[in-house]
Amino acid sequence: MTAPAVFQPCMVLLVDDQAMVGEAVRRHLANLPDIDFHFCADPYQALAIALQIKPSVILQDLVMPGISGLELLSHYRANPLVLDVPVIVLSNTEDPAIKSEAFSAGANDYLVKLPDKIELIARIRYHSKAYQTQLQRDEAYRALRESQQQLGDSNIALISLNQKLEEATRSKSEFLANMSHEIRTPMNGVIGMTTLLLDTQLSDEQKDFVETIRSSSDSLLTIINDILDFSKIESGKLDLENAPFDLRICIEESMELLAPRALEKKIDFAYWIEENVPTKVTGDPTRLRQIFINLLSNATKFTSRGEVVLEVRRASPEQMNNGAAYKSPSLGLLFSVRDTGIGIPENKLDRLFKSFSQVDSSTTRNFGGTGLGLAICKRLAELMGGEIWVSSVEGKGSIFHFTAALEVDSTHADLTGLIGISGLKGKRLLILEDNASNLRILSAYANSWGMHVSGASSSEEAMEQLEIGNFDAVMVEYQFNESVPTKTDVTVTESTPARASSYSGRELLRCLRQNTAFASVPVILLSSIRLGSIIEELGPFSISAYIYKPIRRSAVLEALTHVFHKARETGDVASADSSDELNASLPLRILLADDNAINLKVGQAFLTKMGYEIDVVTNGADTLEKLKIHPYDILFLDVQMPGMDGYETARKICRQFKHTRPRIIAMTGNAMQGDREKCLEAGMDDYITKPARPADLKAMLLKWGESPIPAKS
Ligand code: ADP
């Protein structure tokens, strides 16, 4: 910024012993608003007056009594305050010798008295302006140097503050890692023990109490994880993984986690991936799943009737937050989670993605939660090069959208669409499904495999289709007309009695089988609930295959190919849970190392239930001793143990037992970034976080049980 120019008059000091000259010059300069004239007749006073009035130019007579003009000039030049003031020497003659003497003494100009008025004024103005400009420039330089100095000083202060902050952040995340471990260890005990307790003989009341403990500790764990995640993201400590994964499986796993809650509330639950979205991708599946789970869980929480649908399509470049992350070969995807729930008032939308904020305090009481979920989703989406936003109509529902940049995993072609579809091409399929989203999804799958699809979402439509007949297979929704309607006329429908024409799934099956055209057509039953013992009652309808919701594409394909290949009589019913006797199919020798007695007890009980007899140790040294005596296939190793910690133990095992060592699975309470790498670096094969659940342990046994360390060739 430049300061506005300030008018500064030329301050002229004439030093001459002759009053007459003084008078003549005064007259020349009279009435000029930009010139302020001062006269000094006493040469001995000249310097003092100059110091006082600070002239912008001095007119200096050469010949004066007592002291010469040149001598005075040298006085001016010796004084720092007038050193640079321009001096115009007034001489009686145009004498080159005197002139050169004057210039070498420091004069800036030389005039013969009395000069022409115009010339005098012009020279006064010229020298004054030059001097004043120089003064201003010097002042600006000085101010600049000063602010530079200040800037430098504050920079130093900032750097040191930053260092302190970094130290604080580091100790904060260390503190969090430790706290996380400290909290998870007893949580492991609580969750594990309640899981075991639930398997014992309990009265209904006791069972209810234990289930409450179980669900409370589950929510406590979610909150701890949320807080930990949030701090990790805030301190920039969250690095995304870049691993190949199947997007469809990632979505299906997230859906399945929340399906029981949706089923409880009788909400339809579905997902749809557009045809042009490649599903073999690389990115961070864990963090992506975290966003899905958060959004799906909110959608289910705030919806009491209708449906929750997750949709995936390609994003347009404008929908991506970070242009750079989107550039080829990145794959920008748009995910939308749509619900028919309570919606969000428009004036509350802006605070949704802020941390610790809920839409209002009454919902806080109704629904609970930390208000961190969406803030975490926002940051995760941004880390993935995307954005998150919402559109919502109060009372009708919300759609949460987010984008993320992934990479296409070109090393794995998506073959799921190709396996077994040859037998489906041209086949005529009838789908009786009252939920419009599910009908659309099922039809799209079947169409993509070359089938001819007809659909019916109401009893009337179903009856029409049954009259037409001529189908190769029929899919029937078992809960037809049972789920609470999605449409906006929800207010009237809840207690509306079933009309005569509102058939249930079972009634549809009956009509179908009574119709000769359908007597032997294979039927695939769709169901939101595991049919279990009901399956026997369904015997007369000769169901060929079952598909359980949330609908997985692979399940639909499997059911259809099964039906048309007639491989077995009655499709894969809910695959029986065989976890209890895993030992029979996968015998393993397992060692469990943990210094915490409760953790040992829980782990031991879980593994015993799977049919394994396991050995336990409580420290690193005993682990090594035990390995000398017995060969083990799997070692579950706690990371934080006193004395020799898990990392060191693992390093020693790898060194001492090389090719005869068991697969080492770390168990860690620290869910901090870098822990995984630390475990792998120490030679461990995999890791699970505490509290470990039976499913985690089982997954590890299945993953590693059949792949021992390769013997040295
Ligand atoms: P919390 O972990 O407490 O659920 P979130 O950040 O996930 O926090 O959500 C914040 C708030 O946003 C919720 O308390 C709720 O008021 C509102 N909200 C989130 N999702 C929905 C939704 N699908 N429908 C209605 N309100 C929602």
Side-chain angles (χ1 to χ4, degrees):
M1 259 202 307
T2 44
V6 181
F7 170 73
Q8 273 188 307
C10 307
M11 186 66 82
V12 182
L13 174 61
L14 169 65
V15 183
D16 197 315
D17 56 318
Q18 294 174 307
M20 214 176 62
V21 176
E23 205 35 49
V25 175
R26 182 190 306 280
R27 249 181 282 122
H28 275 348
L29 304 181
N31 299 328
L32 293 174
D34 66 326
I35 294 181
D36 199 346
F37 178 71
H38 296 261
F39 174 58
C40 167
D42 179 359
Y44 290 101
Q45 290 298 317
L47 185 61
I49 290 175
L51 288 173
Q52 190 192 336
I53 67 164
K54 299 195 176 65
S56 59
V57 63
I58 298 174
L59 304 177
Q60 181 60 56
D61 181 24
L62 276 188
V63 189
M64 293 180 298
I67 183 164
S68 82
L70 289 183
E71 212 179 328
L72 253 182
L73 187 56
S74 66
H75 286 313
Y76 299 146
R77 293 301 176 239
N79 189 309
L81 294 177
V82 279
L83 167 75
D84 289 322
V85 178
V87 175
I88 303 174
V89 166
L90 298 181
S91 171
N92 291 326
T93 54
E94 175 69 45
D95 179 338
I98 299 175
K99 206 175 191 174
S100 101
E101 207 183 339
F103 279 117
S104 40
N108 300 74
D109 209 342
Y110 185 95
L111 292 178
V112 177
K113 308 197 240 197
L114 261 178
D116 168 63
K117 176 178 170 181
I118 307 251
E119 184 183 358
L120 178 67
I121 293 170
R123 287 189 193 249
I124 284 174
R125 282 188 176 140
Y126 169 77
H127 286 292
S128 278
K129 283 287 162 273
Y131 177 63
Q132 282 165 343
T133 313
Q134 187 197 331
L135 281 188
Q136 277 170 359
R137 205 179 45 215
D138 289 352
E139 173 58 22
Y141 271 131
R142 195 197 53 74
L144 196 72
R145 263 199 306 276
E146 198 170 288
S147 53
Q148 256 172 348
Q149 179 66 36
Q150 279 169 358
L151 214 72
D153 289 350
S154 36
N155 231 359
I156 292 170
L158 257 176
I159 289 170
S160 100
L161 199 67
N162 207 14
Q163 272 168 352
K164 280 189 199 137
L165 265 175
E166 270 173 19
E167 276 163 33
T169 312
R170 209 173 313 122
S171 44
K172 190 177 99 184
S173 32
E174 271 165 26
F175 169 77
L176 278 167
N178 286 334
M179 277 311 285
S180 151
H181 177 80
E182 293 304 322
I183 297 171
R184 273 158 198 266
T185 303
M187 288 298 292
N188 191 27
V190 176
I191 294 180
M193 284 299 166
T194 42
T195 308
L196 292 170
L197 198 55
L198 279 172
D199 279 343
T200 61
Q201 278 282 327
L202 297 174
S203 70
D204 283 351
E205 194 186 26
Q206 286 169 331
K207 195 158 173 226
D208 188 39
F209 291 164
V210 179
E211 265 163 6
T212 310
I213 299 178
R214 174 68 210 248
S215 71
S216 311
S217 35
D218 273 345
S219 10
L220 186 55
L221 196 64
T222 313
I223 296 171
I224 295 168
N225 285 340
D226 269 4
I227 296 177
L228 192 68
D229 267 344
F230 189 72
S231 334
K232 266 195 277 184
I233 298 172
E234 286 297 270
S235 58
K237 283 268 151 55
L238 191 105
D239 276 345
L240 291 186
E241 212 187 323
N242 198 21
F245 69 100
D246 188 318
L247 184 61
R248 192 178 291 280
I249 294 178
C250 178
I251 291 177
E252 286 170 355
E253 284 174 354
S254 319
M255 303 279 308
E256 260 152 40
L257 198 75
L258 291 153
R261 219 181 296 165
L263 177 63
E264 223 169 78
K265 302 179 83 174
K266 294 214 166 152
I267 312 171
D268 266 298
F269 213 49
Y271 80 87
W272 169 244
I273 302 177
E274 288 275 344
E275 294 291 330
N276 65 357
V277 172
T279 53
K280 301 290 184 198
V281 293
T282 45
D284 192 328
T286 317
R287 295 301 172 180
L288 200 59
R289 192 181 300 120
Q290 189 174 1
I291 307 183
F292 293 149
I293 293 176
N294 252 315
L295 298 183
L296 289 169
S297 140
N298 278 346
T300 323
K301 182 154 123 184
F302 296 105
T303 302
S304 57
R305 61 189 82 211
E307 61 179 11
V308 170
V309 183
L310 164 59
E311 294 184 331
V312 189
R313 53 181 62 87
R314 279 177 179 258
S316 65
E318 307 78 61
Q319 287 168 328
M320 305 301 295
N321 142 34
N322 178 350
Y326 186 69
K327 65 172 189 282
S328 149
S330 283
L331 168 70
L333 292 183
L334 168 64
F335 302 89
S336 314
V337 175
R338 177 161 54 79
D339 67 53
T340 51
I342 60 173
I344 300 157
E346 193 167 349
N347 59 349
K348 303 284 169 63
L349 287 175
D350 58 328
R351 64 159 102 137
L352 274 189
F353 299 104
K354 298 197 175 122
S355 32
F356 305 107
S357 90
Q358 273 139 343
V359 165
D360 69 35
S361 49
S362 75
T363 25
T364 309
R365 274 194 298 277
N366 281 344
F367 296 102
T370 52
L372 277 178
L374 290 175
I376 293 174
C377 290
K378 175 172 156 50
R379 282 167 176 78
L380 288 177
E382 285 167 358
L383 278 174
M384 294 184 190
E387 271 181 317
I388 191 165
W389 68 100
V390 62
S391 50
S392 186
V393 178
E394 212 179 343
K396 293 216 168 148
S398 317
I399 312 182
F400 281 83
H401 304 275
F402 76 95
T403 49
L406 301 171
E407 303 267 327
V408 180
D409 178 14
S410 43
T411 56
H412 287 90
D414 189 355
L415 296 174
T416 39
L418 302 173
I419 301 164
I421 64 162
S422 58
L424 305 185
K425 223 179 166 92
K427 292 276 194 297
R428 291 149 309 178
L429 174 68
L430 172 61
I431 307 174
L432 309 181
E433 158 65 272
D434 61 343
N435 176 272
S437 301
N438 275 328
L439 181 58
R440 182 168 67 91
I441 291 166
L442 285 165
S443 309
Y445 287 156
N447 279 326
S448 75
W449 300 320
M451 304 182 80
H452 300 301
V453 186
S454 306
S457 58
S458 68
S459 305
E460 290 81 0
E461 283 172 12
M463 287 305 126
E464 276 167 32
Q465 292 294 342
L466 290 185
E467 300 223 324
I468 301 168
N470 206 15
F471 290 102
D472 299 308
V474 188
M475 272 186 195
V476 182
E477 152 76 338
Y478 188 64
Q479 286 84 21
F480 201 89
N481 274 333
E482 271 180 37
S483 51
V484 185
T486 313
K487 307 294 175 302
T488 43
D489 57 346
V490 281
T491 40
V492 284
T493 47
E494 191 164 45
S495 56
T496 310
R499 279 173 288 140
S501 58
S502 295
Y503 290 102
S504 69
R506 189 182 277 266
E507 285 160 339
L508 285 176
L509 283 174
R510 192 168 302 126
C511 295
L512 200 123
R513 286 307 186 205
Q514 280 166 359
N515 184 333
T516 46
F518 284 92
S520 59
V521 172
V523 169
I524 300 168
L525 202 62
L526 300 163
S527 175
S528 313
I529 51 167
R530 302 267 151 179
L531 294 168
S533 56
I534 304 175
I535 282 185
E536 280 176 23
E537 295 168 30
L538 293 171
F541 300 120
S542 24
I543 307 294
S544 302
Y546 295 88
I547 298 172
Y548 289 110
K549 293 178 177 179
I551 297 166
R552 282 176 297 119
R553 193 173 88 135
S554 57
V556 181
L557 185 62
E558 208 173 289
L560 286 168
T561 45
H562 167 77
V563 160
F564 290 112
H565 293 157
K566 280 256 169 248
R568 274 161 284 163
E569 253 321 283
T570 49
D572 295 323
V573 188
S575 57
D577 196 1
S578 58
S579 66
D580 273 11
E581 274 310 325
L582 188 63
N583 182 35
S585 55
L586 185 61
L588 294 171
R589 293 154 302 186
I590 303 173
L591 181 62
L592 179 60
D594 198 316
D595 62 310
N596 181 298
I598 297 178
N599 284 346
L600 274 186
K601 216 159 143 187
V602 171
Q604 193 172 18
F606 283 159
L607 291 164
T608 309
K609 282 203 77 195
M610 295 178 204
Y612 293 106
E613 271 179 39
I614 66 160
D615 291 331
V616 296
V617 279
T618 55
N619 58 53
D622 287 355
T623 309
L624 287 166
E625 283 308 308
K626 215 49 179 188
L627 289 183
K628 280 184 201 154
I629 310 166
H630 298 290
Y632 288 96
D633 302 304
I634 301 278
L635 164 65
F636 287 106
L637 181 61
D638 181 24
V639 165
Q640 290 205 347
M641 291 188 293
M644 193 195 305
D645 67 12
Y647 302 116
E648 203 187 330
T649 311
R651 270 191 286 271
K652 286 210 165 124
I653 294 175
C654 291
R655 233 178 291 131
Q656 289 181 22
F657 299 91
K658 287 203 175 78
H659 304 285
T660 58
R661 72 168 174 88
R663 288 289 181 184
I664 308 173
I665 319 292
M667 295 190 297
T668 161
N670 302 354
M672 295 299 281
Q673 176 230 334
D675 284 342
R676 197 184 119 84
E677 288 67 28
K678 247 162 98 181
C679 292
L680 298 186
E681 250 167 50
M684 308 193 210
D685 296 290
D686 215 324
Y687 100 144
I688 50 179
T689 44
K690 291 183 187 174
R693 288 150 197 270
D696 302 332
L697 295 172
K698 187 181 163 191
M700 286 296 135
L701 297 181
L702 288 172
K703 181 169 176 191
W704 295 108
E706 284 183 309
S707 55
I709 302 290
K712 202 179 167 124
S713 52

